[in-house]
Amino acid sequence: EAERPPSKSARKRAATAAQELGERLVGLSEGELAALPLSDELREAIRVSRGMRGRGSAYRQRQYIGRLMREVDTAPILQRLETGTRGQALDAARFRRIEVWRDRLIAEGDAAITALGESVPLTDDLRAKLLDTLLRAQNSPSDTGRTAARRELFRDLRAILAEVGGA
């Protein structure tokens, strides 16, 4: 028995999904776009679309991108985008973890440094550096000094947690 062609509804759903993916591609940065397996024609259409300001012309360009997307195998593109999304989520989680440690250090002081030392190995030099930076973050007479010390504390924590694979 011969295989039936897709229904009109199925074709419309596929075309809509391809167009939505094309619109998602327009929002990517140039570096992210370069990492995707796209044809030169599609890549150029996406670049042109970014510069369009008129509603009518931008709409027509998105329609054109959608037509080009229907000719492309979208599975590898979706896979790469999903991989990037997971990486961004992991980066955000690492960032939040570092912020939590920094805020805890500032709030609890030496007790938080001890707790951090139980989670990750800290040398005496590193512990002393954290304590010095922490004291500047807590006791600096100027807002600028406290902010700079908080940033330095964040960088130190990022390095410490990255070393042990915790961030």
Side-chain angles (χ1 to χ4, degrees), residues 12-83:
K12 286 180 92 171
R13 279 192 299 273
T16 301
Q19 184 158 353
E20 288 172 356
L21 178 58
E23 289 180 14
R24 189 172 164 194
L25 294 178
V26 171
L28 296 178
S29 71
E30 196 61 40
E32 293 169 325
L33 195 62
L36 296 175
L38 303 175
S39 68
D40 292 337
E41 185 178 14
L42 179 57
R43 202 176 300 276
E44 183 59 30
I46 290 169
R47 283 191 189 106
V48 168
S49 177
R50 290 178 178 158
M52 294 190 156
R53 298 291 172 237
R55 286 181 63 163
S57 60
Y59 174 79
R60 285 188 300 277
Q61 188 68 15
R62 286 192 311 269
Q63 293 292 319
Y64 176 62
I65 290 170
R67 184 177 68 76
L68 293 175
M69 289 298 296
R70 288 191 295 266
E71 300 168 2
V72 173
D73 181 18
T74 59
I77 297 170
L78 287 169
Q79 183 179 9
R80 291 258 177 101
L81 288 175
E82 181 61 30
T83 302

